[in-house]
Amino acid sequence: MKRILTTLVIIIALVLGAAVILPAIYKDDVLKIVKKEINKNVDAKVNFEDVSFSLLRSFPHFSLGLEELSVVGKGSFKSDTLLYVPRFNTTLNLISVINSEPVDVIAVKLSEPRIKIKILETGEANYD
């Protein structure tokens, strides 16, 4: 019984240690991937200063945070900052992230967002 309990404690410690260490090791890679994927899927220039992710903050879900998030328009809106958020946090279903399924978003939190909605006389809107 004592051996099983010791093994269980060691496994839990390893999992928790990996959950703390892995985000720090892969932070730069995740930052590049997130910027690339967002800009590939959005018709605007998206930028942010820093990314944070954690398995512990919203356990058993995956937490992703972006600092100084800005979305600047393209084309007719190229000089407009459409969105600025000092702190953006989202909670994602961990299984959907791991399985490459469509990602299940559980929560989105915006800290002091500034949103600029603009519709031109031609009917073109910056949120399209």
Side-chain angles (χ1 to χ4, degrees):
M1 181 67 172
K2 188 175 181 181
R3 180 179 240 182
I4 293 172
L5 185 59
T6 304
T7 304
L8 186 60
V9 168
I10 290 171
I11 290 171
I12 290 172
L14 288 173
V15 169
L16 288 175
V20 171
I21 293 171
L22 287 177
I25 292 172
Y26 293 106
K27 184 176 184 173
D28 292 335
D29 295 333
V30 170
L31 181 68
K32 290 175 189 172
I33 291 169
V34 169
K35 279 187 181 183
K36 178 183 169 190
E37 290 300 316
I38 288 174
N39 281 305
K40 184 170 74 173
N41 291 302
V42 176
D43 189 25
K45 176 69 176 151
V46 179
N47 198 14
F48 48 89
E49 296 298 317
D50 197 17
V51 65
S52 63
F53 52 101
S54 173
L55 295 172
L56 301 177
R57 187 177 303 138
S58 57
F59 188 80
H61 303 295
F62 178 74
S63 175
L64 175 71
L66 302 175
E67 297 285 336
E68 305 295 325
L69 173 66
S70 67
V71 179
V72 178
K74 289 183 178 177
S76 302
F77 303 102
K78 72 178 180 182
S79 62
D80 294 336
T81 299
L82 309 176
L83 172 71
Y84 173 77
V85 182
R87 181 86 179 130
F88 171 89
N89 287 309
T90 185
T91 303
L92 309 169
N93 181 312
L94 181 61
I95 301 301
S96 70
V97 171
I98 292 171
N99 289 337
S100 300
E101 299 173 359
V103 177
D104 183 18
V105 178
I106 295 168
V108 174
K109 298 176 186 171
L110 305 176
S111 168
E112 302 176 26
R114 284 186 276 164
I115 302 168
K116 182 177 183 179
I117 297 175
K118 187 175 181 180
I119 302 173
L120 300 178
E121 291 179 9
T122 62
E124 185 181 6
N126 65 356
Y127 52 83
D128 287 339

